[in-house]
Amino acid sequence: MSSLPSSPLEVAVPPVGADGQRTVLGEGPVWVVRDQVLLWVDIKGQKLHVHDPSRQSNVQFALSHLPGCVAPRAQGGAVVALSNGFGVVDYSTGAVQWWVDPEHDKPENRFNDGACDPKGRFFAGTLQLEERDPHCGALYCLEQDHSVRKVLDHCTIPNGIVWSLDGAKLYFIDTPTRGVDVFDYDVESGAMTNRTTVIKVPEELGHPDGMTIDAEGMLWVAHWGGGCVTRWDPRQGSMISKVVVPVSKVTSCAFGGKDLEHLYISTASVDTDTIAEPLAGALFILKTPGVRGRPEPEFAG
Ligand code: CA
């Protein structure tokens, strides 16, 4: 394993914004190729962030419900999973239009991480707000016609979800398992089968949280409580490299930039001593991860 200690990790968005509020649970960065902006959320701060590196700006929109994740939408705007269900958000205004709530009978749950499959279906998982009891969440698929299927039950903290470059594999993290699981994936039907564990994260690296994939098919995993992002070969289950982040709670990562040549890394400040970790809650950028990303699939509905 090689580590990248000399890699120039920079702060892209400082932890305290113009409103003087520190990002509580910065999460879910995703690059929108069409607009060349990075969308990310502050789940517990209940905000959508739009970072435009060309203008060096980061605009925040307060939302009426807790956002779990967003993904670009082919028709414009972004599909969003909020604590009250799926909808679309206009990220130039912050206006949300709700579509459907598959867990309207479970007010104790909220949506968490999610992403689109290669056909433009949107997947997102739910967890218990208080994270008290295990197995209370599920993974849902929002189809292009806005109907919803439950695709996996008994999830505890569903997080990183990403498809292999050919779409034939789905990689998924349920954080307390400390592993990355893989399913065989049928892109035409959206069926996921044959779950196995491909990566086991060592205890000293904390818990796996968000995840993305690069143009070589390798996985990049953010480590909650581990202060790093790691790159893995999912075929071998082996770690290739590690990027140290000066914040213990590293939540997710996403490639961005004109050629998807940078890696953005989100962090959290919740339950953190911000004297000891002054950058907790910042969005970081690794300008030279040494590999490019691939464009994030857009929601097709
Ligand atoms: Ca997460």
Side-chain angles (χ1 to χ4, degrees), residues 6-64:
S6 59
S7 296
L9 189 67
E10 297 173 25
V11 173
V13 178
V16 180
D19 59 2
Q21 287 185 0
R22 184 182 289 271
T23 303
V24 184
L25 183 51
E27 269 282 6
V30 59
W31 183 256
V32 185
V33 171
R34 177 181 51 236
D35 293 333
Q36 296 286 295
V37 296
L38 187 86
L39 306 181
W40 56 302
V41 295
D42 181 352
I43 296 179
K44 295 195 172 171
Q46 211 165 304
K47 283 179 181 161
L48 171 68
H49 290 243
V50 185
H51 173 53
D52 183 341
S54 71
R55 297 180 181 181
Q56 296 187 307
S57 66
N58 188 71
V59 178
Q60 306 177 23
F61 296 104
L63 300 171
S64 62

Side-chain angles (χ1 to χ4, degrees), residues 54-118:
S54 71
R55 297 180 181 181
Q56 296 187 307
S57 66
N58 188 71
V59 178
Q60 306 177 23
F61 296 104
L63 300 171
S64 62
H65 293 77
L66 300 174
C69 58
V70 291
R73 182 183 181 221
Q75 290 181 34
V79 63
V80 60
L82 294 142
S83 54
N84 64 333
F86 291 111
V88 61
V89 60
D90 178 341
Y91 53 81
S92 64
T93 64
V96 173
Q97 183 192 335
W98 279 275
W99 287 335
V100 58
D101 184 0
E103 290 197 344
H104 56 86
D105 56 333
K106 291 185 180 173
E108 70 281 12
N109 278 12
R110 69 163 171 87
F111 269 102
N112 199 43
D113 211 341
C116 289
D117 84 350

